[in-house]
Amino acid sequence: MSEQGIWVESVYKTYLSGSEEIKVLRNANLRASIGESVAVVGASGCGKSTLLNLIGGLDRLDSGFIRACGYEVDKLNEKGLTAYRSKGVGFVFQFHYLLKDFTALENVMLPALMAGIANREAKKDAEVLLERVRMGDRAPHFPAQLSGGERQRVALARALINNPSLVLADEPTGNLDEYHKSIVSNLLFSETAESGKMLILVTHSQDLASRADRCLRLSEGRLVQI
């Protein structure tokens, strides 16, 4: 596997709920290469989102290690994690998390500006991405003026603005009707495949999972090929 791929090895993660220990991940292992898409399915509360958060540097593991996009994620300090999340990873969540006082264009531009990209270049890149996700004509609109499916397409464009090697998608179509589920899922797979990105997708949808190159089930804290 290329050093730019993903290597999750012997990962454990436990949370405390009062005095009770909840062992979410127990010896979880996953590998993926550049250009590969992997779907992770499993029961609600089994740890799928925790796995994505660990890979994305949003949470810390208890033991094991995670290598992704050339970064030793489990060893990064806060400054290193910020750089990794900014340059290496694009996040698409079930909820769009668009800033309500920013237009669609401004929401997509924001990660690029935070990464130090000049305003003119960030604007140009954001406009191109909005066109690719069929939202070019909605660029000046605010989130409240967009439908759920439109907001999720803007969120996808935002995830891609810094050209990450890895896209992490957590139930990206979970709140959408069937029409917009089809649009968003088509765009998610086409945009990542055409640019050779890795896609790790958490979903309850068997239809969505079946589109990935591989599908894993998370059960009792471990990942199993299905």
Side-chain angles (χ1 to χ4, degrees):
M1 181 191 72
S2 165
E3 67 173 10
Q4 295 299 311
I6 300 173
W7 186 6
V8 176
E9 184 72 20
S10 303
V11 166
Y12 286 76
K13 181 64 180 179
T14 299
Y15 292 107
L16 287 176
S17 178
S19 59
E20 181 184 4
E21 283 192 349
I22 301 174
K23 297 180 178 180
V24 181
L25 298 176
R26 291 180 277 187
N27 196 29
N29 298 279
L30 182 154
R31 294 197 184 192
S33 300
I34 289 291
E36 187 175 17
S37 59
V38 179
V40 179
V41 300
S44 296
C46 72
K48 301 186 301 297
S49 293
T50 296
L51 176 67
L52 283 197
N53 288 342
L54 293 174
I55 294 172
L58 299 175
D59 201 355
R60 293 285 192 176
L61 50 74
D62 295 334
S63 62
F65 67 80
I66 297 175
R67 308 288 183 266
C69 310
Y71 291 83
E72 297 184 39
V73 180
D74 54 287
K75 295 183 179 179
L76 295 174
N77 58 22
E78 287 304 316
K79 183 178 180 180
L81 285 170
T82 298
Y84 164 63
R85 290 191 294 260
S86 174
K87 299 174 183 178
V89 187
F91 296 92
V92 183
F93 299 102
Q94 182 172 359
F95 302 100
H96 54 81
Y97 295 118
L98 299 178
L99 298 177
K100 65 183 179 66
D101 296 326
F102 285 54
T103 65
L105 178 63
E106 291 166 341
N107 267 284
V108 177
M109 287 174 62
L110 187 58
L113 296 174
M114 292 176 67
I117 304 300
N119 186 82
R120 180 179 295 181
E121 184 179 349
K123 183 174 184 289
K124 180 180 177 181
D125 290 346
E127 288 172 339
V128 169
L129 279 167
L130 284 170
E131 287 291 342
R132 278 169 39 188
V133 299
R134 307 178 202 171
M135 288 294 292
D137 62 335
R138 307 290 273 167
H141 291 73
F142 293 92
Q145 299 172 307
L146 305 175
S147 70
E150 289 174 332
R151 288 192 287 265
Q152 199 67 329
R153 278 185 268 168
V154 174
L156 175 58
R158 180 184 58 187
L160 299 173
I161 187 68
N162 286 339
N163 194 28
S165 300
L166 168 63
V167 174
L168 300 175
D170 192 350
E171 296 288 359
T173 62
N175 287 332
L176 305 180
D177 58 37
E178 291 303 317
Y179 172 74
H180 285 103
K181 280 182 182 179
S182 176
I183 291 176
V184 170
S185 61
N186 286 342
L187 287 169
L188 178 65
F189 280 98
S190 64
E191 289 298 323
T192 52
E194 287 172 13
S195 53
K197 302 183 188 308
M198 290 177 290
L199 171 64
I200 307 296
L201 167 73
V202 159
T203 181
H204 282 101
S205 168
Q206 291 297 326
D207 288 340
L208 193 57
S210 69
R211 299 187 61 171
D213 297 324
R214 287 191 290 130
C215 187
L216 306 175
R217 181 174 300 281
L218 183 57
S219 179
E220 297 182 349
R222 296 177 177 85
L223 287 161
V224 181
Q225 184 82 38
I226 57 175

